[in-house]
Amino acid sequence: MKRGGDRDNMAPAGAIGSRTRRRAVFASAELGRELDKATFKAKQPELREALLEAQFELAERRDFSVVVLISGVDAAGKGETVNTLNFWMDPRLIETNAMGEPTQEERERPRMWRFWRALPPRGKIGIFFGIWYTVPIVDRVYGKSDDAGLQAAIDEILRFEAMLASESTLVLKYWLHLSKDRQRERFKALERDAHTRWRVADDEWERFQLYDTFRAVSEITLRRTSVPHAPWIVVEGSDARYRLTTTARSLLESLWARLENAPPSPAEAVPPKLPELKDRNVLRALDLTGILPRKKYHRELGALQSRLNLLSRHKKMAERSVVLVFEGVDAAGKGGTIRRVAGALDARFYRIIQIAAPSDEERAHPYLWRFWRHLPRAGHFTIFDRSWYGRVLVERVEGFAAEADWTRAYGEINDFEFEMNRHGIVVVKFWLHISREEQYRRLKERQETGHKRYKLTEEDWRNRMRWDAYEEAVCDMVARTGTSIAPWHLVSSEDKYAGRVEVLKTICETIDAAL
Amino acid sequence: MKRGGDRDNMAPAGAIGSRTRRRAVFASAELGRELDKATFKAKQPELREALLEAQFELAERRDFSVVVLISGVDAAGKGETVNTLNFWMDPRLIETNAMGEPTQEERERPRMWRFWRALPPRGKIGIFFGIWYTVPIVDRVYGKSDDAGLQAAIDEILRFEAMLASESTLVLKYWLHLSKDRQRERFKALERDAHTRWRVADDEWERFQLYDTFRAVSEITLRRTSVPHAPWIVVEGSDARYRLTTTARSLLESLWARLENAPPSPAEAVPPKLPELKDRNVLRALDLTGILPRKKYHRELGALQSRLNLLSRHKKMAERSVVLVFEGVDAAGKGGTIRRVAGALDARFYRIIQIAAPSDEERAHPYLWRFWRHLPRAGHFTIFDRSWYGRVLVERVEGFAAEADWTRAYGEINDFEFEMNRHGIVVVKFWLHISREEQYRRLKERQETGHKRYKLTEEDWRNRMRWDAYEEAVCDMVARTGTSIAPWHLVSSEDKYAGRVEVLKTICETIDAAL
């Protein structure tokens, strides 16, 4: 059947030698453990009932989701294990994701997009075949990356899994192992049977030649990524009964442990507070005095819009995409600015995402899920009217997010933007600023004039009361997420014409530089 | 830029002759209407403010969505019109969908999937370029279909749009027109300008040669699909100011008309009630006596699961997919049956969708949207545990849906299944049935035994009270949606073993026949 194959068929690798530390990971999975048929049959009903009960408890409570990674060596029984888990448990509450070759829509987004879109909602279990470990390990084995490259990939994975764990996800990682001899035996057995012969192709034997290397790389990777909130469980794969029972038991225990206890929060290094310089911060330092005469504004705006339009039709844009982020003080003119930007673009190639309250599907997933889902395809723009920075702005200031949550958000956001950047997405972030006095004038004006009325909410007035808290949050945000790949552009909108022109100019320059 | 092109660039066609009836559609759009600059400028602010206000009213009320189709002849200003609408209105409440070449993920689903996934939620406007009219018209012009084929396509479109209209969607269809002379002039003008020359390729001139044919086919199509709940508005395209103002005004008026009045419900032919034969109906006629001895059951089940597994790996399955629908009396054993079916399949290639209360995103879209979104990719199975039939079962019986809504659902469901069938999806539908006495026994048993407790809800007991109403609903459902392409399989689950075996057998036979 021509379907995306399981890209996760890899032989483990490793120079099994005198270095006992190296042996630690897989050694206990090469003992030839078996489970006799009678015990297996006898223990099954109880195990299955317990699994079902844990599943229903999970489904009913809906306070976390479970991500189960199934990886390991070729022919160690990954498929059979997943099928059995589905059969033993209620498959209606399991989503199995086979990550084969990425589809066109997936290739047009950052590497992790396909995993994000497949994350299970709270209350469900998502099983992943073909996982985020595959590419880093394979690349290292085939020499496409070096040790530093592998380490960088591992660091990213660690941050990603820590994020999942913090976002109400129980992460369990199973590695089904076979010793080299056992794998050879298993391949031969498969080849002898006409029904299973197709499963052992040249690829499998080719990878078998690299068994030792695969083992070494996998071992390093597993050792470095086995953390309390996302442990690796290495299971000896040769005996099906042992493998199935062990995996199922481990899953069961982990489920109950989590159902019964609050999750062990991954250690979060809370960065030290920046020294407070009340009188001097990036916002207060912003020059709000610039004024652009109306006539000049129209001339410059037109020129910049033409330039942006040309850039959006640039040949190289076919493989790139653009994400624009607009944050700002209420009434700073985000809407008007966004419309001037959109006005320069062909409506077919942009989408504006207004961030308000999340939908219930969004609420059932990790925080960043609702932003990942809107990442543009190649050649397209996504304009975020408010964004993922809500977590470190409104959610922080209003207390909607716990301190631990908004604190770790800085790092998660940086990772998110790094992913985008690596994929070639141009990320441009704006903070539109006005003085407190100007804000008062504008809110008053809105209250009084016709079609602007709609924009004014109770919230605008309430937010105004918290000016200082917001100012502090903005300064922290700029300090912690203003990275070289996605710097913050603080723009004075005190004169809205000057603000719009500056925004357009910045967008043009950033895209220009990127192409 | 290499991006999916606008497939909707078609020249209209028609033998402009003595037949005045034929001229009617486009004649009034060939009068050379213009709007002078002064009037245009003077009227703009008021028009824009009114549009914004209508939009915010729409967004605030969220009780319907707006689908705007933009179609028409090449160079009549479709892109400019959409861009202007986005600029005049609040683009944050508009989703513009350019339907270019379908992506791989779209090609693996039925033709209408891409439109379904792009439908705007209530409160928003979705503008579509490249619409469901394109393929039928182009196919007819190039002789890929005949008059009967065009008429069949038109009938489908009419039913689809009637469904949208009934599902809280305001459907507005704009056709931007140019006479043959005007189009020639426009092409030449575009060619003269170095900036726009790229817009007139050989394709455009080729289609221009077919102007008359395109016109004829478009005229027939427009005439037949201009219905009160989804009218065509033909706009003369040559003068930009006239075109923009007319389109915007029409949109504005339609928005307000809908905001102020309940929608004109599309005429729905309520099929005559079937003569009631209280004593004899398909459910009562079902033989519930068959019993399968346990030993024989295990043997047959194993054989059928192997057969299904082989079928699922069949070469031809790479381009097909399977949708299984399970409905049935409470406690009839849907869950157990589904698990036996799933147990035959590789977990990587199926997904079980449990239908319970819709999410808020689902609620904001037409009823069938939540089922369309789960249609399987090629080579995959989707198993629906309860389904779109909820509308004519629980929603009908419990009064959650108005009679007009569940009545029209029969036709909509038939269309939905026809779409799947045409795409090559194998659809197999089951009603699992047990006697009232057996149901009582099973519900009691569930209440008393351990891990089955979870399945029992108050609702089960309540539903039981409505046995007769459900029986009537099921009989109507079978009569009205039991089509040759997607027949109902009524299966006795009185003996659950016999039921499971019959289900598996039916699935195997249906897939077998389809391949």
Side-chain angles (χ1 to χ4, degrees):
Chain A
M1 245 173 108
K2 212 201 85 200
R3 298 193 277 210
D6 175 3
R7 290 203 54 197
D8 201 39
N9 287 321
M10 68 180 68
I16 313 172
S18 55
R19 291 148 77 188
T20 47
R21 198 173 133 256
R22 283 230 153 184
R23 289 192 52 122
V25 172
F26 297 127
S28 66
E30 295 184 342
L31 300 174
R33 277 190 265 217
E34 287 181 8
L35 191 66
D36 65 281
K37 204 166 173 175
T39 317
F40 179 69
K41 273 199 113 173
K43 295 207 166 170
Q44 229 195 85
E46 194 191 335
L47 182 57
R48 289 171 66 170
E49 180 158 342
L51 278 167
L52 279 174
E53 229 171 288
Q55 245 188 318
F56 295 124
E57 187 71 21
L58 171 70
E60 205 166 288
R61 285 214 234 148
R62 282 198 209 180
D63 47 27
F64 63 98
S65 64
V66 184
V67 163
V68 177
L69 305 188
I70 300 285
S71 194
V73 318
D74 283 336
K78 297 193 290 289
E80 194 195 343
T81 306
V82 173
N83 284 325
T84 306
L85 287 177
N86 267 282
F87 187 65
W88 284 359
M89 303 174 79
D90 192 325
R92 296 175 294 183
L93 297 171
I94 298 178
E95 297 173 352
T96 303
N97 301 287
M99 296 296 181
E101 284 302 313
T103 67
Q104 175 191 338
E105 294 189 28
E106 287 169 345
R107 278 194 303 272
E108 292 183 14
R109 268 88 169 201
R111 200 189 278 180
M112 294 302 285
W113 188 75
R114 58 198 320 229
F115 298 112
W116 273 94
R117 79 197 284 220
L119 288 179
R122 277 183 221 144
K124 281 200 172 184
I125 298 175
I127 297 183
F128 289 77
F129 270 96
I131 56 170
W132 41 85
Y133 287 91
T134 310
V135 172
I137 293 180
V138 170
D139 281 359
R140 182 68 198 94
V141 168
Y142 287 95
K144 281 190 212 158
S145 72
D146 55 13
D147 283 347
L150 178 63
Q151 187 54 50
I154 286 173
D155 289 344
E156 276 175 48
I157 286 174
L158 284 172
R159 287 198 303 275
F160 177 64
E161 292 177 354
M163 179 280 299
L164 285 180
S166 307
E167 289 281 346
S168 308
T169 308
L170 173 63
V171 182
L172 299 170
K173 305 182 290 196
Y174 292 95
W175 185 274
L176 308 189
H177 183 69
L178 287 181
S179 69
K180 197 171 181 177
D181 291 343
R182 287 287 182 147
Q183 192 181 35
R184 189 189 295 109
E185 283 166 27
R186 191 92 182 91
F187 279 165
K188 295 224 160 138
L190 288 169
E191 278 186 335
R192 273 194 299 276
D193 186 336
H195 285 100
T196 56
R197 195 169 296 147
W198 61 274
R199 290 183 53 191
V200 189
D202 290 348
D203 280 8
E204 275 70 23
W205 284 118
E206 190 197 307
R207 277 197 297 273
F208 181 74
Q209 297 306 317
L210 291 166
Y211 183 99
D212 294 333
T213 322
F214 263 114
R215 185 187 165 107
V217 175
S218 305
E219 192 151 1
I220 291 169
T221 309
L222 263 64
R223 199 163 356 94
R224 294 193 189 155
T225 55
S226 208
V227 287
H229 56 268
W232 273 107
I233 302 118
V234 179
V235 178
E236 185 159 2
S238 51
D239 179 64
R241 288 187 293 265
Y242 172 79
R243 168 173 33 83
L244 294 173
T245 310
T246 309
T247 311
R249 268 181 179 289
S250 151
L251 180 59
L252 176 65
E253 278 162 24
S254 309
L255 275 172
W256 275 119
R258 173 63 191 257
L259 283 163
E260 278 164 2
N261 301 293
S265 180
E268 180 66 45
V270 178
K273 281 254 171 189
L274 296 175
E276 289 192 38
L277 292 171
K278 275 269 177 214
D279 301 329
R280 182 110 192 120
N281 64 38
V282 285
L283 287 182
R284 294 190 192 184
L286 195 63
D287 178 7
L288 300 178
T289 59
I291 281 181
L292 191 65
R294 189 136 186 190
K295 211 168 158 186
K296 207 172 162 206
Y297 161 69
H298 282 296
R299 204 171 51 235
E300 290 193 15
L301 183 76
L304 284 165
Q305 285 183 324
S306 299
R307 186 173 163 206
L308 179 55
N309 186 272
L310 274 180
L311 281 168
S312 78
R313 297 173 183 281
H314 194 287
K315 227 194 281 175
K316 285 191 188 162
M317 266 299 293
E319 272 134 46
R320 305 294 292 270
S321 50
V322 178
V323 164
L324 306 177
V325 174
F326 286 89
E327 294 284 354
V329 172
D330 287 333
K334 283 196 304 297
T337 309
I338 287 173
R339 290 174 63 185
R340 288 348 179 259
V341 174
L345 302 169
D346 190 314
R348 285 173 288 188
F349 300 121
Y350 70 81
R351 181 63 57 94
I352 304 173
I353 307 297
Q354 262 189 309
I355 299 302
S359 71
D360 51 14
E361 292 181 40
E362 289 171 341
R363 250 184 267 269
H365 287 92
Y367 178 69
L368 288 171
W369 188 80
R370 57 194 294 231
F371 308 105
W372 270 95
R373 70 196 297 217
H374 292 298
L375 289 193
R377 295 187 51 195
H380 287 66
F381 285 63
T382 300
I383 303 172
F384 285 95
D385 181 2
R386 303 199 186 276
S387 69
W388 43 95
Y389 285 99
R391 186 136 245 192
V392 297
L393 296 171
V394 58
E395 291 187 39
R396 165 182 171 170
V397 173
E398 305 292 338
F400 300 151
E403 181 167 4
D405 289 331
W406 63 256
T407 308
R408 70 181 158 77
Y410 297 110
E412 291 168 9
I413 286 171
N414 286 336
D415 291 341
F416 177 36
E417 292 173 0
F418 172 74
E419 275 272 333
M420 287 195 257
N421 176 269
R422 176 169 55 190
H423 185 72
I425 300 179
V426 181
V427 182
V428 199
K429 308 186 296 198
F430 294 100
W431 176 266
L432 302 190
H433 203 65
I434 51 177
S435 67
R436 219 171 157 165
E437 298 69 39
E438 176 65 14
Q439 187 189 41
Y440 181 77
R441 209 188 51 70
R442 291 189 191 180
L443 290 179
K444 266 287 173 211
E445 190 191 81
R446 283 189 184 180
Q447 209 162 32
E448 282 151 19
T449 62
H451 73 279
K452 285 188 177 168
R453 208 168 34 227
Y454 65 88
K455 287 184 182 166
L456 197 67
T457 64
E458 278 301 307
E459 226 178 298
D460 291 320
W461 288 111
R462 200 157 44 79
N463 290 347
R464 198 174 142 71
M465 299 296 106
R466 312 223 181 191
W467 186 277
D468 291 338
Y470 273 102
E471 192 174 88
E472 193 188 343
V474 173
C475 291
D476 278 357
M477 170 184 86
V478 171
R480 295 185 188 172
T481 62
T483 57
S484 60
I485 55 164
W488 273 105
H489 300 281
L490 309 181
V491 174
S492 160
S493 267
E494 193 83 354
D495 176 73
K496 65 183 177 184
Y497 299 130
R500 289 174 191 167
V501 163
E502 193 178 332
V503 164
L504 268 156
K505 206 167 154 189
T506 308
I507 295 172
C508 287
E509 281 167 5
T510 313
I511 295 178
D512 219 351
L515 303 178
Chain B
M1 248 174 106
K2 212 201 84 200
R3 299 194 276 210
D6 176 2
R7 289 202 55 198
D8 202 39
N9 286 321
M10 67 182 66
I16 314 171
S18 54
R19 291 148 75 189
T20 45
R21 202 174 129 251
R22 284 229 151 181
R23 289 193 53 125
V25 173
F26 297 128
S28 66
E30 294 184 340
L31 298 173
R33 276 190 264 220
E34 288 180 6
L35 190 68
D36 64 284
K37 203 165 174 179
T39 316
F40 179 69
K41 274 199 113 170
K43 294 207 164 171
Q44 227 196 89
E46 194 191 336
L47 182 58
R48 289 172 66 170
E49 180 158 340
L51 278 168
L52 280 174
E53 227 170 287
Q55 247 188 318
F56 295 124
E57 186 71 20
L58 171 71
E60 205 166 287
R61 284 214 235 150
R62 283 199 207 179
D63 46 26
F64 65 97
S65 65
V66 183
V67 163
V68 177
L69 305 189
I70 300 285
S71 193
V73 318
D74 282 339
K78 296 193 289 289
E80 194 196 343
T81 305
V82 173
N83 283 326
T84 306
L85 287 178
N86 267 283
F87 187 64
W88 283 1
M89 302 173 81
D90 191 325
R92 296 174 296 181
L93 298 171
I94 298 179
E95 298 174 352
T96 302
N97 301 287
M99 296 297 181
E101 284 302 314
T103 67
Q104 175 190 340
E105 294 190 27
E106 288 169 344
R107 278 195 303 271
E108 292 184 15
R109 267 88 167 202
R111 200 189 279 179
M112 295 301 286
W113 188 74
R114 60 198 319 228
F115 298 112
W116 273 93
R117 80 197 284 220
L119 288 179
R122 279 185 219 142
K124 280 201 172 182
I125 297 175
I127 297 183
F128 290 78
F129 269 96
I131 55 170
W132 40 84
Y133 286 91
T134 311
V135 172
I137 292 179
V138 170
D139 281 359
R140 182 68 197 94
V141 167
Y142 286 95
K144 281 189 212 159
S145 72
D146 55 13
D147 283 346
L150 178 62
Q151 187 55 48
I154 286 174
D155 289 344
E156 276 176 46
I157 286 174
L158 284 173
R159 288 198 302 276
F160 177 65
E161 292 177 354
M163 179 278 299
L164 286 180
S166 306
E167 289 280 347
S168 309
T169 309
L170 174 62
V171 182
L172 299 171
K173 304 182 291 196
Y174 292 95
W175 186 275
L176 308 188
H177 183 69
L178 285 181
S179 70
K180 196 170 181 178
D181 290 344
R182 287 287 183 148
Q183 192 181 34
R184 188 188 298 110
E185 282 167 26
R186 192 94 181 88
F187 279 167
K188 297 225 159 135
L190 288 169
E191 279 186 334
R192 274 194 300 272
D193 187 337
H195 286 99
T196 56
R197 196 170 295 149
W198 61 275
R199 291 183 51 193
V200 189
D202 291 347
D203 281 8
E204 275 70 25
W205 283 117
E206 191 196 305
R207 277 197 297 274
F208 182 72
Q209 297 306 316
L210 289 167
Y211 183 99
D212 294 333
T213 321
F214 263 115
R215 185 188 163 109
V217 175
S218 306
E219 191 151 3
I220 290 169
T221 309
L222 263 65
R223 200 162 356 94
R224 294 192 190 156
T225 55
S226 206
V227 285
H229 56 268
W232 273 106
I233 302 117
V234 179
V235 178
E236 184 159 2
S238 50
D239 179 63
R241 289 187 293 264
Y242 172 80
R243 168 171 37 80
L244 295 172
T245 310
T246 308
T247 311
R249 267 181 179 287
S250 151
L251 179 59
L252 175 66
E253 277 162 24
S254 309
L255 276 173
W256 274 119
R258 173 62 190 256
L259 283 164
E260 278 164 3
N261 301 293
S265 180
E268 180 66 43
V270 178
K273 280 252 171 189
L274 297 175
E276 289 192 37
L277 292 171
K278 276 267 175 212
D279 302 327
R280 182 107 193 123
N281 63 38
V282 286
L283 287 182
R284 295 190 190 183
L286 196 63
D287 178 8
L288 301 178
T289 60
I291 281 180
L292 192 64
R294 189 138 187 188
K295 209 166 159 188
K296 208 173 160 203
Y297 160 70
H298 281 298
R299 204 170 53 236
E300 290 194 15
L301 183 77
L304 283 165
Q305 284 183 324
S306 300
R307 186 174 163 204
L308 179 55
N309 187 272
L310 276 179
L311 281 169
S312 79
R313 298 174 182 282
H314 193 288
K315 223 192 283 175
K316 286 191 186 160
M317 265 299 293
E319 271 135 45
R320 305 294 292 269
S321 51
V322 177
V323 165
L324 305 177
V325 174
F326 286 89
E327 293 283 354
V329 171
D330 286 334
K334 284 196 303 296
T337 308
I338 288 173
R339 290 172 64 184
R340 283 2 176 251
V341 173
L345 302 170
D346 190 314
R348 285 174 286 188
F349 300 121
Y350 70 81
R351 181 64 53 95
I352 303 174
I353 307 297
Q354 262 189 310
I355 298 303
S359 71
D360 52 14
E361 292 182 39
E362 289 171 339
R363 250 184 265 269
H365 287 92
Y367 178 68
L368 288 171
W369 188 80
R370 58 195 292 230
F371 309 104
W372 271 96
R373 69 195 298 215
H374 292 299
L375 289 193
R377 295 187 52 195
H380 287 67
F381 286 62
T382 300
I383 302 173
F384 285 95
D385 182 3
R386 303 200 187 273
S387 68
W388 42 96
Y389 285 100
R391 186 137 247 192
V392 296
L393 295 172
V394 58
E395 290 189 39
R396 165 184 169 169
V397 172
E398 305 291 339
F400 300 152
E403 182 167 3
D405 289 331
W406 62 257
T407 308
R408 69 181 159 78
Y410 297 111
E412 290 168 10
I413 286 172
N414 285 335
D415 291 342
F416 177 36
E417 292 174 359
F418 172 75
E419 276 271 334
M420 289 195 254
N421 176 269
R422 177 168 55 193
H423 185 72
I425 300 178
V426 182
V427 182
V428 200
K429 308 187 296 198
F430 294 100
W431 176 265
L432 301 190
H433 202 64
I434 50 175
S435 68
R436 220 170 154 166
E437 297 70 39
E438 176 65 15
Q439 188 190 40
Y440 181 77
R441 209 187 54 68
R442 292 191 190 177
L443 291 180
K444 267 286 172 211
E445 192 192 80
R446 282 189 184 177
Q447 209 160 31
E448 283 151 19
T449 62
H451 73 279
K452 285 188 176 167
R453 209 169 32 228
Y454 66 88
K455 285 184 180 167
L456 196 67
T457 63
E458 277 301 308
E459 225 178 300
D460 291 319
W461 288 112
R462 201 158 43 78
N463 290 347
R464 198 174 143 71
M465 299 295 108
R466 311 223 183 193
W467 187 276
D468 291 338
Y470 273 103
E471 192 173 271
E472 193 188 341
V474 173
C475 291
D476 278 357
M477 170 184 87
V478 172
R480 295 185 189 172
T481 62
T483 57
S484 60
I485 54 165
W488 274 103
H489 300 282
L490 309 182
V491 174
S492 160
S493 266
E494 193 83 353
D495 176 73
K496 64 181 177 184
Y497 299 130
R500 289 176 191 166
V501 164
E502 193 179 331
V503 164
L504 268 156
K505 206 167 153 191
T506 308
I507 295 173
C508 288
E509 281 166 4
T510 313
I511 297 178
D512 219 349
L515 304 179

